[in-house]
Amino acid sequence: MAELAFATIAELKKKLEKKEISKQELLSYCIGRFKKHDPQIESALEIFDDQSVIKASPQDGILSGIPGILKDNIAQKGRKLTCSSKILQGFTATYDATASHNLKKEGALLVGRANCDEFAMGSSGETSAYKKTKNPWNLARVPGGSSSGSAAAVAAGLVPWSLGSETGGSVRLPAAFCNLVGSKPTYGLISRYGLVAYGSSLDHIGVLTRTVYDNALVLSAIASPDVHDSSSRGVKKDYTKSLTEKLPNGLTIGIVDNALHAKGMNSEIAAAIEKAISVFEKLGATVKRINVPTIDYSAATYFIVSRAEAASNLSRFDGVRYGLRADVDTLEQMYSKTRHNGFGTEVKTRIIVGNYVLSAGYAGQFYEKANMVRAMIRADFVKAFKNIDLLVMPTHSIPAFKFGEFDVDKLAMDLQDSFTCSANLAHIPAISVPCGFTSDKLPIGLQLVGPDFSEELLFQVGHAYEQATDWHKQYASL
Ligand code: GLN
């Protein structure tokens, strides 16, 4: 039944409406696929029993009966929540994240918890304390991170959609590595309530699907205003409405030349982006080559801001309130042993770096300076959007890499965020769509980046591109 495995949400909705399949049958089918294929790709930390899944979403809505999986840093009431870390072993979420709540209200079936990098820190999925998720396109390669399990599950045809989270690119990068559509909307559009904080000023929930339409549909289900998140700027609307086969009249696209020709850019990726640009021209867009110079500084800026915020956010995991608690004599020993045993190496390194860049005597040199550059990055984008409607650039500079490839050069791993993290720093929306394959049959992603609240435009342009190409119709075979 390969057909059902890779059916889009739009197709599954029709099948359910026409009663060609029932909710229960579809759910059992997805759970069966996890049982059969997940031992190989290890995308899920847990798959729930089907009756509890159905019971959790009693209402009907725009995602009625459509199964999906959430990254394990998004709270689902009564379910475990580990952020793929040992420090949260045994912790159960006492409330639903607003995104989970909204999904249940729209009838979506939340089938489990997806593996990820520990506390969403990584670009490959390799920092999870529990599992090593494989890329369904090539099992010797990473699926991309940090939303590794969320991407692998959709790419392997286990579920049609998933939620991931982004601090610097963790939805768009795995989407690109796995031939999926991955979106990161404007900061605040999706509530962060119930998303375990990594870098609060950079954190977003994002959506992974096989098509642009499906992505817009899931966003329509989860975006909402929220009194529980003081940074919420949520707007509830139907994001699928803008989708047509055509580009908007008079559309001007800016190609970010300094990203496309950046040092280390894989030539097959660059060629795929150039080919995509000619598709936009054929569809009637005016294309301008521009530079957004501050993108070159975004990875360094992100490195400092994210570590600083992580050090502060992760101080709450002290053995008192959540999960693991070391059994020792004194309170101080309890704090230090719990954190020593509970956090993995990557997380500990980031906490140390974060405290360093915030420390007296260094904060001006690092943290404050990074925040000034951050303001310049945002200003650079605002300036670019005065003359063009949206930007096109690569999502990544190299295709999905082998496990362990960056074990000795961690900084090179951090540079995987070079083209994605500027949108997190600037709070602007961006989506990655499939745009080709390397000669080794590894997926390539193209990124569309727009001004604040331009999600509908990004979806419209992404959808028109998707209709003019066939990349999204190619599936990983397990
Ligand atoms: N790779 C980046 C990091 O490790 C991005 C992670 C993310 O977006 N959650 O910080």
Side-chain angles (χ1 to χ4, degrees):
M1 278 221 277
E3 212 180 276
L4 198 54
F6 291 97
T8 62
I9 301 178
E11 289 162 352
L12 291 171
K13 274 180 71 142
K14 276 197 200 121
K15 283 185 194 292
L16 286 164
E17 272 157 28
K18 286 198 214 144
K19 299 204 172 11
E20 285 171 20
I21 191 167
S22 71
K23 263 190 212 182
Q24 176 66 56
E25 281 164 352
L26 181 56
L27 178 62
S28 304
Y29 174 76
C30 285
I31 292 178
R33 283 200 45 94
F34 271 103
K35 288 216 172 101
K36 184 159 174 221
H37 296 290
D38 216 41
Q40 216 183 349
I41 63 162
E42 298 194 285
S43 69
L45 292 173
E46 184 184 357
I47 294 298
F48 309 138
D49 85 88
D50 60 345
Q51 287 319 306
S52 70
V53 169
I54 298 235
K55 217 172 122 201
S57 304
Q59 281 171 261
D60 274 330
I62 58 172
L63 290 175
S64 277
I66 308 290
I69 191 163
L70 308 194
K71 185 175 182 175
D72 198 30
N73 62 352
I74 301 172
Q76 305 185 54
K77 189 176 176 184
R79 309 289 195 189
K80 287 186 187 129
L81 178 63
T82 70
C83 299
S84 295
S85 179
K86 273 203 268 178
I87 209 158
L88 280 170
Q89 217 162 40
F91 177 72
T92 299
T94 52
Y95 60 87
D96 267 328
T98 299
S100 313
H101 172 81
N102 290 351
L103 284 164
K104 289 176 181 174
K105 243 175 49 189
E106 293 293 351
L109 301 178
L110 310 185
V111 302
R113 304 185 288 119
N115 191 32
C116 57
D117 277 302
E118 185 176 0
F119 284 102
M121 296 178 186
S123 298
S124 64
E126 289 166 289
T127 72
S128 167
Y130 300 112
K131 284 188 174 177
K132 186 166 140 183
T133 305
K134 326 289 182 295
N135 189 322
W137 288 89
N138 181 332
L139 300 179
R141 300 200 174 239
V142 304
S146 62
S147 309
S148 49
S150 305
V154 179
L158 310 184
V159 273
W161 65 272
S162 63
L163 293 193
S165 73
E166 277 231 357
T167 305
S170 281
V171 167
R172 285 166 286 156
L173 187 71
F177 279 11
C178 292
N179 203 42
L180 300 174
V181 178
S183 65
K184 176 211 91 66
T186 309
Y187 184 76
L189 185 60
I190 304 173
S191 167
R192 286 183 296 113
Y193 181 67
L195 167 69
V196 179
Y198 159 11
S200 309
S201 79
L202 301 158
D203 290 342
H204 301 66
I205 286 176
V207 181
L208 293 121
T209 53
R210 288 186 217 107
T211 64
V212 173
Y213 178 90
D214 284 3
N215 211 285
L217 188 66
V218 177
L219 180 65
S220 311
I222 58 178
S224 70
D226 188 10
V227 290
H228 298 302
D229 174 0
S230 58
S231 60
S232 165
R233 295 195 286 167
V235 187
K236 182 118 194 100
K237 65 165 125 168
D238 180 357
Y239 289 91
T240 64
K241 268 214 174 122
S242 63
L243 305 191
T244 57
E245 309 251 316
K246 288 198 192 127
L247 292 182
N249 281 338
L251 183 78
T252 306
I253 294 179
I255 311 302
V256 185
D257 255 344
N258 55 314
L260 191 50
H261 302 297
K263 204 171 137 226
M265 173 59 65
N266 173 291
S267 59
E268 291 184 308
I269 296 182
I273 304 289
E274 290 292 356
K275 226 171 126 189
I277 294 166
S278 61
V279 174
F280 287 120
E281 282 175 325
K282 264 191 221 131
L283 289 169
T286 303
V287 167
K288 284 189 185 164
R289 305 261 167 179
I290 65 162
N291 282 333
V292 184
T294 52
I295 288 179
D296 300 350
Y297 303 99
S298 58
T301 308
Y302 171 78
F303 185 94
I304 293 170
V305 178
S306 62
R307 271 65 176 175
E309 294 189 14
S312 150
N313 273 323
L314 269 57
S315 63
R316 77 193 61 179
F317 302 107
D318 55 7
V320 178
R321 283 166 298 177
Y322 308 98
L324 199 71
R325 178 179 301 168
D327 191 14
V328 283
D329 296 335
T330 68
L331 181 65
E332 203 170 323
Q333 282 172 352
M334 195 272 284
Y335 288 151
S336 74
K337 194 132 191 235
T338 301
R339 287 167 71 80
H340 178 79
N341 293 346
F343 288 135
T345 311
E346 182 64 28
V347 175
K348 282 183 207 162
T349 310
R350 291 186 186 216
I351 293 172
I352 293 167
V353 173
N355 282 318
Y356 177 78
V357 300
L358 286 170
S359 57
Y362 293 101
Q365 208 175 325
F366 295 110
Y367 182 65
E368 285 163 25
K369 199 165 181 184
N371 271 322
M372 282 190 244
V373 180
R374 180 178 189 172
M376 289 165 72
I377 293 171
R378 164 122 184 132
D380 222 5
F381 277 114
V382 171
K383 195 172 128 207
F385 291 130
K386 287 207 169 112
N387 302 313
I388 49 133
D389 298 304
L390 58 89
L391 295 167
V392 163
M393 58 183 183
T395 309
H396 51 140
S397 58
I398 55 168
F401 45 89
K402 295 197 180 105
F403 287 95
E405 199 163 316
F406 292 113
D407 279 358
V408 286
D409 189 358
K410 293 272 184 220
L411 206 58
M413 171 86 90
D414 290 325
L415 293 177
Q416 301 309 312
D417 309 323
S418 293
F419 304 136
T420 48
C421 67
S422 50
N424 300 70
L425 287 160
H427 285 175
I428 54 179
I431 70 172
S432 180
V433 295
C435 81
F437 291 87
T438 65
S439 42
D440 292 340
K441 194 76 185 160
L442 295 171
I444 301 174
L446 166 93
Q447 207 183 171
L448 305 173
V449 183
D452 291 346
F453 297 105
S454 61
E455 284 77 10
E456 284 165 295
L457 175 68
L458 297 184
F459 285 135
Q460 183 180 2
V461 175
H463 179 75
Y465 173 76
E466 189 183 82
Q467 299 311 300
T469 55
D470 271 341
W471 309 117
H472 64 291
K473 290 186 188 147
Q474 303 205 31
Y475 311 124
S477 58
L478 282 179

